Amino acid sequence: HLLKCVGWQIAQTGPTTFEVRYIPADPAEPGDEATLAGLMRQFYFEAAEVRFRRVDSISTTPAGKLREYVNEWQPPGREEHGAA
């Protein structure tokens, strides 16, 4: 409810960096990003860097489901699962 959106996704993009992507219900009405960032720091950890990105759409799985939480960060020196 804080973002006033119709869809959202939280992506971990770094060891302490998160990006919240959301589709605003009304592009002219801003969401309360500051309050949500504070709550995320409270739930995850205080040093978390939280960025927000308003988007037109969020990609779904092949089955058409929205993944609300994704990890896009790979620690240095770790190969992606299944990489050659």
Side-chain angles (χ1 to χ4, degrees):
H1 297 314
L2 289 172
L3 293 179
K4 302 174 185 174
C5 65
V6 295
W8 56 272
Q9 181 179 71
I10 297 174
Q12 183 174 2
T13 57
T16 61
T17 306
F18 299 87
E19 180 176 86
V20 179
R21 302 164 186 150
Y22 67 100
I23 305 166
D26 179 355
E29 190 172 342
D32 189 352
E33 295 176 358
T35 298
L36 182 57
L39 288 171
M40 288 181 67
R41 288 186 190 99
Q42 181 179 345
F43 287 117
Y44 291 108
F45 48 93
E46 198 172 311
E49 180 181 337
V50 183
R51 298 181 192 146
F52 291 87
R53 188 165 59 138
R54 295 163 62 108
V55 297
D56 295 325
S57 65
I58 297 172
S59 62
T60 58
T61 68
K65 297 191 182 227
L66 178 67
R67 291 177 40 200
E68 294 174 340
Y69 303 96
V70 295
N71 183 355
E72 298 175 351
W73 177 67
Q74 192 70 23
R78 285 186 81 180
E79 294 183 20
E80 290 209 23
H81 198 55

